């Protein structure tokens, strides 16, 4: 990340108070000459490096701050010529010979004639921040969030932010991607974990019932209201309320929900007394809320109120080899439940599942694994143990014009695999040609991860 900064500063020797300022900062700070030599370090940086300023004054900074970042003299000359502020992250070895993750910010300071006079170097210790992130990351995995793909790593990196705040969160993603599971995980990792987590499906109830379900009612509010009902907002007091399928929320209730978000209070049905609530709201949808706003089906002000924090769960087809990890996870889970000793999938079954696009995403994959584990009577799940619709999905794959059909019931599966392999190889080859051999672009065109593309290229001899 590079930020441009150009400020006019008086010469350093006129800034006697600057030394007091840098000593007051809780980070390592050094004033460097144009060639990257040490002019002054604050007390914090002296403690980190184990050197006093007087001992290393005039020494190149890369000899004092032992880091894997390229901060040599040539680097400073290049930075001075561009007049840029540079921000980098890497590791340094402190005075106790321990590796410490750091963020280094290098800012040029300018003289009256706009030339670079010196540099200000700021070294931030990221150990605590990384530890928090790693703990959240590990806790997320312990609670069942599985994935090594880049898009899932982004989710893991966001978890510390999503769990250490009460800000409204919107989770988007296709049906079956795990929005409900992520919402509950965020609650369990938050400071509200000891209070209730309550889920309400906004598309499952008619408007009248949904309003009473959310906000409750008092006795006599309508026919059949023989006693007070608290409603889900009151029941989740101190905790989290999760409104899934928020795009299906009726417009009239959208107005009431907006009031609750703004005022933290509402009127139960039939009551003239306001009820105050302290809850965190998490919502989820597979709809494009912005499009619903344009169509007049969703309030624009509510959309912006819900969209303060947002995270998107990718579809399974964009998660590469996460499919394998999830298959192993679900198979182990259902094998234990059924008290079976199933070791895995044979080659045909695994090929079928890895090539399938899973329109139902993780939920569909879980159902397939559960079905197969129930049907399988041996140690390996075979193609015949998979749901019948997967056989049809493979059989419906377009057949290449020059393929030779194999007849006979016993060879039907082999013919299907052969035709599909021919078609898939040609598809990969054509995409590589279209992208001039760029594997990243090829994987993107095919909707795969780079690891899946590499595996397929190796399988077909295209590497």
């Amino acid at each position: 990340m590079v930020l441009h900064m150009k400020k006019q500063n008086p010469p350093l020797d006129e800034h006697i108070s600057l030394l007091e300022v840098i000593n007051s900062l809780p980070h390592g700070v050094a004033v460097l000459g144009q060639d990257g030599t040490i002019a002054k370090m604050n007390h914090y940086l002296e403690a980190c490096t184990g050197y006093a300023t007087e001992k290393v004054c005039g020494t190149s900074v890369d000899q004092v701050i032992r880091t894997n970042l390229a901060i040599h003299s040539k680097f400073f000359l290049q930075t001075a010529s561009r007049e840029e502020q540079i921000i980098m992250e890497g590791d340094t070895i402190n005075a106790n010979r321990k590796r410490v993750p750091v963020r280094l910010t290098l800012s040029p300071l300018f003289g009256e004639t706009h030339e670079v006079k010196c540099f200000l170097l700021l070294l931030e210790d990221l150990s605590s921040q990384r530890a928090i992130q790693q703990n959240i990351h590990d806790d997320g995995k312990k609670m069942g969030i599985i994935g090594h793909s880049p898009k899932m790593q982004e989710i893991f990196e966001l978890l510390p932010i999503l769990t250490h705040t009460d800000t409204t969160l919107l989770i988007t993603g296709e049906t079956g991607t795990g929005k409900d599971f992520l919402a509950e995980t965020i609650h369990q990792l938050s400071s509200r974990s000891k209070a209730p987590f309550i889920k309400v499906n906004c598309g499952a109830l008619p408007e009248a019932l949904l309003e009473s379900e959310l906000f409750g009612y008092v006795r006599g509010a309508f026919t059949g209201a023989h006693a007070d009902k608290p409603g889900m907002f009151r029941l989740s007091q101190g905790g989290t309320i999760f409104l899934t399928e928020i795009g299906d929320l009726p417009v009239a209730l959208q107005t009431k929900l907006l009031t609750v978000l703004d005022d933290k209070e509402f009127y139960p049905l039939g009551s003239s007394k306001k009820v105050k609530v302290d809850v965190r709201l998490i919502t989820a949808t597979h709809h494009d809320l912005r499009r619903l706003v344009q169509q007049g089906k969703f309030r624009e002000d509510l959309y912006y109120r819900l969209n303060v924090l947002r995270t998107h769960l990718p579809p399974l087809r964009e998660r590469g080899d996460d499919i394998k990890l999830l298959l192993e996870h679900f198979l182990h889970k259902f094998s234990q439940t059924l008290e079976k000793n199933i070791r895995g999938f044979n080659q045909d079954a695994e090929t079928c599942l890895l090539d399938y696009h899973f329109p139902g995403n993780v939920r569909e994959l879980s159902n397939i694994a559960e079905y197969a584990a129930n049907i399988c009577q041996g140690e390996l799940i075979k193609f015949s143990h998979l749901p019948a619709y997967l056989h049809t999905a493979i059989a419906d794959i377009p057949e290449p014009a020059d393929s030779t059909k194999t007849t006979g019931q016993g060879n039907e599966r082999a013919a299907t695999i052969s035709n599909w392999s021919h078609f898939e190889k040609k598809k990969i080859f054509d995409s590589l040609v279209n992208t001039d051999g760029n594997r990243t672009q090829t994987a993107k065109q095919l909707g795969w991860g780079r690891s899946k593309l590499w595996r397929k290229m190796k399988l077909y001899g295209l590497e």
Side-chain angles (χ1 to χ4, degrees):
M1 179 180 180
V2 177
L3 303 173
H4 294 283
M5 183 183 78
K6 188 169 184 176
K7 295 182 179 180
Q8 183 170 332
N9 296 289
L12 180 61
D13 56 1
E14 294 182 10
H15 255 292
I16 306 301
S17 61
L18 176 61
L19 304 182
E20 297 175 1
V21 172
I22 65 175
N23 275 327
S24 68
L25 296 175
H27 303 294
V29 182
V31 179
L32 310 175
Q34 292 180 349
D35 58 353
T37 54
I38 300 284
K40 180 65 182 176
M41 297 192 299
N42 71 346
H43 297 327
Y44 190 100
L45 190 56
E46 288 178 332
C48 289
T49 61
Y51 295 111
T53 300
E54 294 75 16
K55 296 288 186 181
V56 294
C57 187
T59 304
S60 178
V61 66
D62 60 331
Q63 300 296 316
V64 179
I65 301 177
R66 292 163 289 181
T67 175
N68 58 354
L69 300 173
I71 50 173
H72 47 73
S73 57
K74 185 177 179 182
F75 168 78
F76 284 92
L77 293 174
Q78 292 172 345
T79 304
S81 66
R82 294 194 301 265
E83 299 183 351
E84 296 173 337
Q85 182 186 62
I86 305 295
I87 300 175
M88 301 181 289
E89 290 190 7
D91 295 321
T92 186
I93 304 296
N94 65 14
N96 298 321
R97 299 185 180 277
K98 291 184 178 179
R99 186 181 297 275
V100 179
V102 294
R103 179 184 295 117
L104 184 149
T105 304
L106 185 68
S107 305
L109 300 179
F110 300 90
E112 294 179 353
T113 55
H114 302 286
E115 79 283 6
V116 175
K117 298 290 290 184
C118 57
F119 291 95
L120 192 68
L121 182 144
L122 177 70
L123 202 68
E124 300 174 72
D125 186 341
L126 302 180
S127 300
S128 299
Q129 178 182 329
R130 295 282 174 85
I132 292 172
Q133 290 177 344
Q134 188 61 44
N135 288 338
I136 294 292
H137 185 282
D138 293 342
D139 288 343
K141 286 191 172 181
K142 288 176 185 176
M143 299 188 73
I145 300 180
I146 298 170
H148 289 160
S149 63
K151 292 190 176 181
M152 288 307 296
Q153 289 304 312
E154 291 177 9
I155 301 293
F156 283 122
E157 290 174 6
L158 274 176
L159 272 178
I161 298 173
L162 303 180
T163 57
H164 286 82
T165 181
D166 283 338
T167 303
T168 302
L169 169 65
L170 173 63
I171 305 173
T172 59
E174 295 179 8
T175 299
T177 49
K179 298 185 292 294
D180 297 17
F181 185 73
L182 178 61
E184 187 167 2
T185 300
I186 289 170
H187 167 76
Q188 294 298 335
L189 295 175
S190 73
S191 59
R192 294 179 176 268
S193 59
K194 293 182 180 179
F197 173 84
I198 293 182
K199 171 186 171 183
V200 181
N201 189 325
C202 297
L205 296 171
E207 182 176 343
L209 288 178
L210 183 58
E211 183 174 8
S212 64
E213 188 75 8
L214 288 173
F215 304 109
Y217 54 79
V218 296
R219 180 181 178 183
F222 50 83
T223 304
H226 301 302
D228 292 354
K229 180 178 179 178
M232 295 304 179
F233 267 95
R234 291 180 70 181
L235 290 176
S236 57
Q237 178 71 17
T240 303
I241 186 167
F242 174 52
L243 303 184
T244 184
E245 301 306 337
I246 190 67
D248 296 327
L249 188 69
V251 175
L253 291 185
Q254 291 177 27
T255 304
K256 193 163 185 176
L257 177 60
L258 183 63
T259 302
V260 175
L261 289 173
D262 288 339
D263 301 337
K264 305 294 183 185
E265 56 186 16
F266 60 89
Y267 289 103
L269 284 173
S271 175
S272 59
K273 184 178 179 181
K274 282 187 175 181
V275 172
K276 288 187 174 293
V277 288
D278 171 27
V279 299
R280 184 189 185 185
L281 176 65
I282 300 179
T283 60
T285 182
H286 69 279
H287 292 298
D288 183 346
L289 289 187
R290 189 179 292 276
R291 181 173 295 178
L292 292 182
V293 169
Q294 293 171 350
Q295 295 172 353
K297 297 179 180 179
F298 203 86
R299 289 184 60 117
E300 185 174 16
D301 47 2
L302 178 59
Y303 168 70
Y304 289 119
R305 192 69 177 79
L306 297 178
N307 198 32
V308 180
L309 278 179
R310 179 175 182 172
T311 187
H312 179 75
L313 281 173
L316 195 54
R317 61 183 174 274
E318 295 179 5
R319 291 178 55 180
D321 285 345
D322 282 358
I323 295 176
K324 271 188 161 182
L325 292 174
L326 289 163
L327 277 173
E328 291 172 3
H329 168 75
F330 288 128
L331 184 59
H332 177 72
K333 170 185 172 183
F334 296 126
S335 295
Q336 284 191 323
T337 302
L338 298 169
E339 297 182 350
K340 291 185 175 183
N341 183 28
I342 303 176
R343 293 187 290 108
F345 299 81
N346 73 2
Q347 187 172 352
D348 277 359
E350 185 175 284
T351 299
C352 172
L353 291 171
L354 292 178
D355 289 336
Y356 184 57
H357 273 203
F358 292 99
N361 293 295
V362 179
R363 184 186 294 120
E364 182 182 13
L365 185 146
S366 174
N367 292 340
I368 290 171
E370 184 174 12
Y371 175 89
N374 275 278
I375 297 297
C376 179
Q377 298 303 315
E379 293 186 346
L380 283 178
I381 291 176
K382 302 176 182 178
F383 179 76
S384 58
H385 297 145
L386 301 179
Y389 75 88
L390 288 178
H391 303 187
T392 306
I394 292 294
D396 287 342
I397 294 165
E399 189 175 320
D402 60 346
S403 65
T404 303
K405 292 186 178 180
T406 305
T407 58
Q409 187 174 0
N411 294 326
E412 182 179 352
R413 169 61 186 158
T416 302
I417 288 292
S418 175
N419 290 338
W420 170 239
S421 297
H422 187 105
F423 173 77
E424 188 172 55
K425 180 178 179 179
K426 185 176 184 302
K427 181 174 66 171
I428 296 170
F429 182 81
D430 290 344
S431 185
L432 284 167
V433 171
N434 291 337
T435 61
D436 293 327
N438 187 310
R439 296 190 184 190
T440 301
Q441 291 300 319
T442 298
K444 189 175 182 180
Q445 280 189 8
L446 296 172
W448 296 345
R450 279 179 57 88
S451 58
K452 181 175 180 179
L453 174 63
W454 176 85
R455 177 170 53 81
K456 291 290 186 180
M457 288 175 66
K458 185 176 181 181
L459 175 66
Y460 298 127
L462 296 174
E463 67 269 36

